[in-house]
Amino acid sequence: MKKKGSIPYRLPLCMQLYRIYFVTFFVLLRSPQNFTKAGEQDAVRCDTQTQLIRRGCKREEIISPENNLKIVQGDSLSTLSNQPEPVQLSPQKISLRQRSGHSTTFSVSFKRAEGYPVDLYYLMDLSYSMKDDLKNVKELGKDLFAALNTITKYAQIGFGAFVDKTVLPYTNINKEKLLKPCDENDQHCQAAFGYRHVLNMTPSEDEFKNKVTEQSISGNLDSPEGSLDAMMQAAVCGDKIGWRNSSTRLIVLTTDAGFHMAGDGKLAGILEPNDKQCYMENNLYSKSSEMDYPSVGQLAMQLEKNNIQPIFAVTKEVENVYKQLSKMIPKSEVGVLSSDSKNVVQLIKSAYNRLSSKVTLTHDNLPANVRVVYTPKCDHAGPPGDSEGVCDNVRISFDVTVTATSCMEDKSFTIRPLGIKDTLTVTLSTNCECQCVDPQNSSHPHCTGKGQVSCGICSCSEGSIGQFCECSIGAKDERTLRASCQRQNGTECEGRGDCVCGRCKCHTTESGSSYHGDFCECDDEHCEKFLNKLCGGRGKCNCGKCECDGGYEGSACQCRVSEEGCRTLNNTVCYGRGTCKCNRCECREGYQNPRCQTCLGCTDPCQTKLNCIECLGFESGPFKKNCTVACSKSIYHEMVDQSTIQSRKCQQKDSDGCWIKFNLDQLVGEDNYKAEILKQRDCPEPPSVTAIIGGSIASVALIGILLLMLIKLLIYMKDLKEFRKFENEKKKSKWAEVR
């Protein structure tokens, strides 16, 4: 927020806290000087009503916004369906304004209008195994209409048929078999097809009978059929099927086989997923061979979206398959079809009665951080749920509880019964702003005459800052002053104080003590505990660390000062390679507990001490000139004929190429050794000059002889070649003379 002519300031505190606390109350500070004590942060204004009154706040100064429910549209439920749009759900629109984290409960009533229109779409499997069933269905028109007329005077029936995709491996794609996929002896057989819409919704019994009578059986190769394809098109092609806007919509699927689903199309090389769109051309599903089958989830979503309730009339062999499918499709029923489909009318009546007697209330487009719980109020109520509520009755009601856990404004969602067009629109807003009545004085005394009160907090005029606008910023800007209250560009005063004139003024803690430090980074309440006591009750907590009383030590003053457990065999403490804390050695890097005697990760001293051994024992090597300075403090040495030290035996080659043998024993401390050096070094004998010279001369002579022999060989080979050439020419000349 920013006031005209003033420097920017943060949201008033109660607005910030309102977004955090769900069940707190807020103070409108009309007498602010007497409420916040010295060192207290402004957050104490936000508390429960009981605590605020206990601190001396008057009841009329407490701001506690109440939840508000307004019924925007609440038309009464219709008893009959003789009006254009009968009302079956009440209310229709509700507006809620409530506190974040609080709940509002309201009642929703539902009553199915008597004689409400019914649209029934009969979707039949026309594969060859359903041949006998088709004969009986052709005679069922009269009985179907009679059954529907007992429910409503406004009934309509449509008809559709399906087999499967006309591609391998589902259908024989031989040209003759595509035209006549049935047995050769069967004269009444229609060409293979996926899904065909036969009859739009009609109230005419004769029209239904005539269209169904024209139908013939067809065929395919495999047992599962394309029933999901057909149901998807019947659901999304509403204008072509003829579904009415205000009606109970039913799809009756009759089949004796299972169904293909999403992914099965890959067997035929069909990779394009189903897109849930209508593709009806000349009453045929035009993309049957180009698009994969829909998934069960896609089909369930479209049936619910279009308020369609499926009834699966299937044979006993596949009953369990469709019962499992029914569990995944809301508001669906399964009935067992006789082998010739004669009982289909009674099956439809029973399934419809089960569907119409149960109402499931659910929601769509629920905003984030909003929870809805449905509690059914009826004779056979289901359990309360946060996704839906179920009642098995004709006249029912639900208690709907709405809870928002974050701030929002005018967010809407719909509540509706599954399979019914009626909806309830809920518009939800939350109270996330302070409802303060502030004094209009721009130079309020509480703000040192340099600002005005906003929800009990000073909003300073330009050039002033501070809790009570007591600080004049002068030539500096507010950002510079506030930056001086931040440690390493972090939170201002670590969130434990107020930045006043560029310095942190620390708050008090809950126990009454104060935070301290330049940035209020310290408190004396969060040190380590021992036996559930701060610093074990044996020390003082200072800025998060324990300062122990005499005779105690440890991070929580949990130990008595003692070196007994750290003493070594030679009566040293940790061999001088660590410190004794809590009666245990804390070794320096590399040394091992319990007494820091060995160092597994250290460099081999035989190598590191070689130069010192060489200069101390034999006055040679790199440290020859400053041996005393470099080595006398770390090595005590002794020249011996035979070593008595057995701890570490070393044999190293010195700068002269001689082998030095010495033994080391590490004394107390890290770099402190006793060395026993053998007086005699093993040096290699010097090379023989005579042998080297003689060998060199012999080598040169040998190489010279070999070179001469090689040259002689090359000359001989050349001469031999010339001689043979001469002989050949000589023979040729004799032949010429004879001739």
Side-chain angles (χ1 to χ4, degrees), residues 409-446:
E409 191 69 28
D410 293 334
K411 297 291 184 180
S412 297
F413 63 96
T414 57
I415 295 174
R416 62 186 181 87
L418 288 179
I420 306 296
K421 180 186 176 185
D422 299 60
T423 61
L424 162 61
T425 301
V426 179
T427 303
L428 177 62
S429 299
T430 53
N431 290 316
C432 285
E433 302 296 332
C434 300
Q435 299 175 0
C436 301
V437 182
D438 296 318
Q440 299 302 312
N441 186 0
S442 60
S443 301
H444 200 279
H446 178 58

Side-chain angles (χ1 to χ4, degrees), residues 195-456:
Y195 161 67
R196 174 180 286 115
H197 170 56
V198 178
L199 176 65
N200 288 3
M201 292 292 178
T202 177
S204 172
E205 178 184 333
D206 293 336
E207 188 176 0
F208 177 81
K209 182 178 180 180
N210 293 336
K211 283 291 185 181
V212 175
T213 303
E214 294 174 1
Q215 299 307 304
S216 301
I217 210 70
S218 186
N220 63 327
L221 291 177
D222 64 341
S223 177
E225 315 295 4
S227 48
L228 298 194
D229 258 349
M231 292 181 70
M232 176 64 79
Q233 290 301 301
V236 298
C237 298
D239 55 337
K240 299 183 184 298
I241 302 297
W243 300 111
R244 287 175 288 185
N245 287 331
S246 298
S247 65
T248 299
R249 301 176 177 182
L250 304 174
I251 288 181
V252 178
L253 180 81
T254 59
T255 182
D256 63 349
F259 52 87
H260 285 294
M261 66 179 78
D264 288 355
K266 292 181 180 179
L267 295 172
I270 300 174
L271 303 179
E272 184 178 354
N274 196 286
D275 62 2
K276 302 174 290 185
Q277 301 297 317
C278 177
Y279 295 103
M280 195 87 74
E281 295 180 10
N282 298 322
N283 290 332
L284 281 172
Y285 177 28
S286 59
K287 293 226 172 183
S288 173
S289 301
E290 302 173 22
M291 197 169 287
D292 197 5
Y293 301 96
S295 68
V296 174
Q298 286 178 315
L299 178 61
M301 184 185 299
Q302 292 304 314
L303 291 173
E304 182 178 342
K305 178 180 177 181
N306 293 282
N307 299 316
I308 297 173
Q309 305 172 64
I311 298 173
F312 300 109
V314 298
T315 56
K316 186 69 176 177
E317 292 78 11
V318 292
E319 178 187 8
N320 288 334
V321 174
Y322 282 90
K323 280 187 174 180
Q324 293 299 318
L325 177 62
S326 179
K327 292 178 182 179
M328 294 182 278
I329 298 180
K331 294 289 286 182
S332 61
E333 287 290 336
V334 178
V336 178
L337 197 65
S338 61
S339 58
D340 54 4
S341 297
K342 284 186 177 181
N343 68 331
V344 68
V345 175
Q346 184 59 42
L347 185 154
I348 293 172
K349 287 179 64 176
S350 300
Y352 175 79
N353 289 334
R354 292 195 297 271
L355 288 171
S356 60
S357 64
K358 181 169 68 175
V359 175
T360 301
L361 205 64
T362 187
H363 51 255
D364 293 322
N365 305 318
L366 191 68
N369 300 319
V370 175
R371 187 165 64 94
V372 181
V373 176
Y374 301 93
T375 306
K377 300 291 183 182
C378 51
D379 293 338
H380 304 284
D386 55 7
S387 60
E388 64 180 22
V390 180
C391 255
D392 286 336
N393 212 323
V394 177
R395 174 66 181 264
I396 57 95
S397 65
F398 295 85
D399 280 348
V400 181
T401 302
V402 179
T403 308
T405 57
S406 65
C407 295
M408 60 188 66
E409 191 69 28
D410 293 334
K411 297 291 184 180
S412 297
F413 63 96
T414 57
I415 295 174
R416 62 186 181 87
L418 288 179
I420 306 296
K421 180 186 176 185
D422 299 60
T423 61
L424 162 61
T425 301
V426 179
T427 303
L428 177 62
S429 299
T430 53
N431 290 316
C432 285
E433 302 296 332
C434 300
Q435 299 175 0
C436 301
V437 182
D438 296 318
Q440 299 302 312
N441 186 0
S442 60
S443 301
H444 200 279
H446 178 58
C447 304
T448 326
K450 300 177 182 178
Q452 68 180 50
V453 175
S454 176
C455 285

Side-chain angles (χ1 to χ4, degrees), residues 134-147:
L134 179 60
K135 292 178 181 178
N136 290 320
V137 171
K138 292 179 180 180
E139 306 298 328
L140 289 178
K142 182 177 180 180
D143 294 337
L144 270 176
F145 274 96

Side-chain angles (χ1 to χ4, degrees), residues 40 103 132 194 379 476 552 582 594 655 686:
E40 282 188 327
S103 301
D132 294 338
D379 293 338
K476 297 181 179 180
Y552 291 94
C582 285
S655 58

Side-chain angles (χ1 to χ4, degrees), residues 604-616:
D604 185 6
C606 292
Q607 297 179 4
T608 59
K609 300 303 178 184
L610 174 61
N611 291 335
C612 283
I613 295 295
E614 185 178 357
C615 77
L616 290 171

